Structure formats: C-alpha cells, structure tokens
Amino acid sequence: MRHSESFNVDLSSLFFLDHHLLDYPNISYTMKGSDILLIIVAVIFPPAAAAFIAGCSCDLLINVCLTILGYLPGHLHAFWLIYKKIRAEEKYGERGYRYVGNGGYEPVGQAPLTHNAPPGYGATN
C-alpha cells in the first residue's frame, strides 16, 4: 500500500456513536495506512501507540498507569490520542502540526496567536 492511499470511514455505520453525530451522514474521516497501523499497535500494546504519538511525555506515563490499572483504560487513552492526531492532520495538513501535550496540537510555521492587552493591564502601579 502506498503512503498516499487513504480509507474513508462512514460514521453512520458505527452503532455506538452519539445520536447527534448520526444527524450528519455525509461526514467521513480519512484514515491513512499509518493510522491503521497505530490502531493495530494500540490494540496489541497501548503504551507503544502512546509513545509513537506523544514521545516520552506525560501522556506516555498516563497511558502506562492506565494500562497497569486495567487494559481497557489504556486502550481508551491510546485511541483518544490517535483520534486527536487524526483530527490535527485534517485541520493542519499532514506535517503542519506539532504535539504540545494533553492531546493538543498547534500549527507549525504559522505565527502564534497573541492577545494584545491594553497598556497597564494587570499592573499594580
């Protein structure tokens, strides 16, 4: 399978989703071969999938602890990390994001958003 090939998943066929999501039957998510490989790794050993996504970070420690507490919580956390990664790829492009922790991603190569506070805001003088 070439890297550029993708799979479309029809959300309306999944029975466990919230009924509000099923109101939009034309929504589909594109999954690449690497995403499917991550899901397979997460099924076999959830901390490995967390390590592939988050690296050596707090999310890896959380996933290890959840897997020790029970195999299902570790799976849920790993699948959540994979879901957040897929969403970041859809939003920012294939290499247009950076993992910042806690399942969050930020764009790469774009100016960060700044909030301009009025002069003297928060000052005690």
Side-chain angles (χ1 to χ4, degrees):
M1 177 184 314
R2 293 188 347 238
H3 182 67
S4 63
E5 293 182 87
S6 62
F7 301 95
N8 287 327
V9 178
D10 184 18
L11 291 179
S12 62
S13 65
L14 300 175
F15 63 91
F16 56 84
L17 289 176
D18 189 4
H19 67 279
H20 297 294
L21 289 177
L22 297 179
D23 293 338
Y24 305 101
N26 296 329
I27 296 175
S28 65
Y29 294 105
T30 302
M31 293 186 72
K32 298 185 304 189
S34 61
D35 298 329
I36 293 173
L37 183 64
L38 268 175
I39 291 171
I40 292 170
V41 169
V43 167
I44 296 170
F45 189 59
F52 290 152
I53 294 171
C56 188
S57 68
C58 187
D59 281 317
L60 176 61
L61 178 64
I62 290 170
N63 194 276
V64 168
C65 291
L66 287 172
T67 304
I68 289 171
L69 290 174
Y71 209 54
L72 183 63
H75 276 98
L76 293 176
H77 184 255
F79 293 144
W80 177 74
L81 288 173
I82 293 169
Y83 170 75
K84 296 296 275 189
K85 178 187 164 292
I86 291 171
R87 295 295 300 218
E89 285 179 352
E90 289 177 354
K91 186 173 183 181
Y92 303 121
E94 188 171 337
R95 299 196 186 269
Y97 60 90
R98 178 178 62 185
Y99 185 73
V100 293
N102 197 22
Y105 291 88
E106 67 182 11
V108 173
Q110 298 176 1
L113 297 175
T114 59
H115 296 88
N116 296 330
Y121 180 77
T124 57
N125 296 349

